[in-house]
Amino acid sequence: MNNHTESEENYIKALYHLGGDDVVASGALANRVGAKGPSATQAVRRLASKGLVEVIPYKGVKLTLDGLTLAKHILRKHRLWETFLVEKLGFGWEEVHPLAEQLEHIQSHELVEKLAEYLDSPVHDPHGDPIPQADGKIPPAIGKPLQQFSEGSTLKVVRVEDAGTDFFTQLDHLEISLGKEYTLISISSFDSSIQLNTESGESFWLSHSMSSNIYAIAL
Amino acid sequence: MNNHTESEENYIKALYHLGGDDVVASGALANRVGAKGPSATQAVRRLASKGLVEVIPYKGVKLTLDGLTLAKHILRKHRLWETFLVEKLGFGWEEVHPLAEQLEHIQSHELVEKLAEYLDSPVHDPHGDPIPQADGKIPPAIGKPLQQFSEGSTLKVVRVEDAGTDFFTQLDHLEISLGKEYTLISISSFDSSIQLNTESGESFWLSHSMSSNIYAIAL
DNA sequence: AAATAAATTTAGGCAAAGCTAAACCTTTGT
DNA sequence: ACAAAGGTTTAGCTTTGCCTAAATTTATTT
C-alpha cells in the first residue's frame, strides 16, 4: 500500500495543488494533469481503491488524510530537489521545475532525508516556496501578492509561485528575481495590472496573472 | 527517437551487461531483467523497431551502435549518481545500487553533465568501476580478479563488480572494502575458492563466485 | 539419424493509462 | 419548471508490458 506509480503521484499532486484537501472537479483535475476527462475519472477510481481519495460521483474528488500526507511528501521531494539543483549544481531557478518533476518520483525516504540534511534542512526552495517538513508541517509562506500593497509602497520580492516555464521566461525577461526591490507606482482599477519602478528608476507594467503569482514583503 | 521508457532502458542495460555488443540469448536477457521469456522477446522487438538492437530469431539479440551508446550513457548516469550518493550524501557503497537504478532513468543531459562537474568529473565510482565519459569512452578498468594472482602475493582490493545487494552484504560481513590489503594464501584447485589473510593475520575463504567479482592490484 | 530435451517464439490474457464518442447527471437560463 | 448547455461518467478501443500455456525450433543424446 506504499508504492505508487508516477501517474498516480501526478494526480495526487494535482489534487493537492488545486484544492488542498477540498473537493476538486474531475474536469479541473484532468486539465491539470494534461489528460482528458475519462482518464481522470478512471485514475481517481484507482486512487480511491488505494484509499488516497474520496469520490463523490458527479461532484468531485477529495484527498483523504493518507492522500494529503502523500501529496505533501511529494511536494517536499520536489522542492528539496529544486533546492539541490539550484544551490549545488548551479541551475537557474527557472530551469529546475521540469527536472524536479522527474526527481520527485524517486522512491526512498532515506534519500530524501539525507538530501535535506545535505542542504541544511531548508525551509524554503529557490522560488521562496515553503518546503513541507518531514513531519508533514508546512512552514509559513512568506510575502503577500503584489496586489495587496498600496500605491507608493516599497517592497522586496521574496517568492514566486512555482509555475510553468513561460512564467519564468517572462520573469527573466523583466529581470525580476528573488530579493530585488521595487516601488509600486500604481494599480490599474481597470484590469488590476500593476506598475512597478526598479531601483534604477525604470518603470514597467505587470499583468494581473503575472503579479498575482509574485509575492513580496514591505520594506 | 530519443525518448525511451524505463523498461526499455532496463533491457538495454541488461544487454550491455551480459554481452557488451555481442549476441545475448533471450533467455539470459529475460533472466537478468527479472522477466519471463516471452516478455523479453516482445521487448526486444520494440527495441529493434527503434533501432537499438538487432535480432537473430532463435539465436539472440545484439546491441546496435545506437543501443551501445545508450547503454553507456545509462551506465554513466548510474555510476555518477552512485558517486554522488556516497561522496555527498554519505550513503554506504552497498546501499546505493538500488537508488542509482532509479536515478539513472532521469532524463536530462544537462543534469548529468552538471552532476559530473559537481563531482569533479570522476573516472571511477565508489566501487572502483569505471564511469563512461560524456564522449562514450570508458576509462581503463583497474585491477585483476583475485584468481589471477599467484599464491603468496600481497594485494590491495581496488574494485568490486557492482552486483546485487546480497553480494555487498557478504562483503560487509567479511569486512572487505576498497583499499584493504590481503595476502593470498591459496587457491583451491578443486573449486577455485580462495584463501586470504588480512593484515591482522586472520584468514578466511572466498567462494569462486565471490572472488571473481573482486579486483585487486599487486603490492 | 532419430528421439528427446531445452530454449525460443507464438497465441491469448490481464492491468495500467490513455483516447473518442455516446450516454448521463447537474446546472442554468428563461 | 423545463429545456438547453455543460460537465461527468460509461462504453469500447489502443498501446505498453507482463504473464501462462502451447507450438516451434535448435541442441543434445543415444
Side-chain angles (χ1 to χ4, degrees), chain A residues 88-89 102 107 114 118, chain B residues 88-89 102 107 114 118:
Chain A
K88 302 295 186 181
L89 295 198
Q102 295 186 63
Q107 220 90 44
K114 284 219 154 107
Y118 182 58
Chain B
K88 302 294 186 181
L89 296 197
Q102 295 186 64
Q107 220 90 43
K114 283 221 154 108
Y118 183 58

Side-chain angles (χ1 to χ4, degrees), chain A residues 65-134:
Chain A
L65 227 157
D66 275 8
L68 192 65
T69 302
L70 176 57
K72 287 190 287 189
H73 185 239
I74 297 170
L75 192 59
R76 170 170 173 75
K77 288 193 279 185
H78 181 100
R79 293 186 170 162
L80 284 172
W81 279 117
E82 284 192 336
T83 307
F84 168 73
L85 292 170
V86 169
E87 304 219 323
K88 302 295 186 181
L89 295 198
F91 277 93
W93 71 337
E94 74 285 356
E95 330 176 65
V96 295
H97 186 77
L99 287 173
E101 213 136 62
Q102 295 186 63
L103 288 160
E104 74 192 0
H105 298 295
I106 302 292
Q107 220 90 44
S108 163
H109 274 282
E110 209 185 342
L111 173 52
V112 181
E113 296 320 316
K114 284 219 154 107
L115 181 63
E117 198 186 330
Y118 182 58
L119 299 169
D120 292 319
S121 307
V123 172
H124 295 103
D125 75 8
H127 311 104
D129 298 318
I131 300 175
Q133 300 300 294

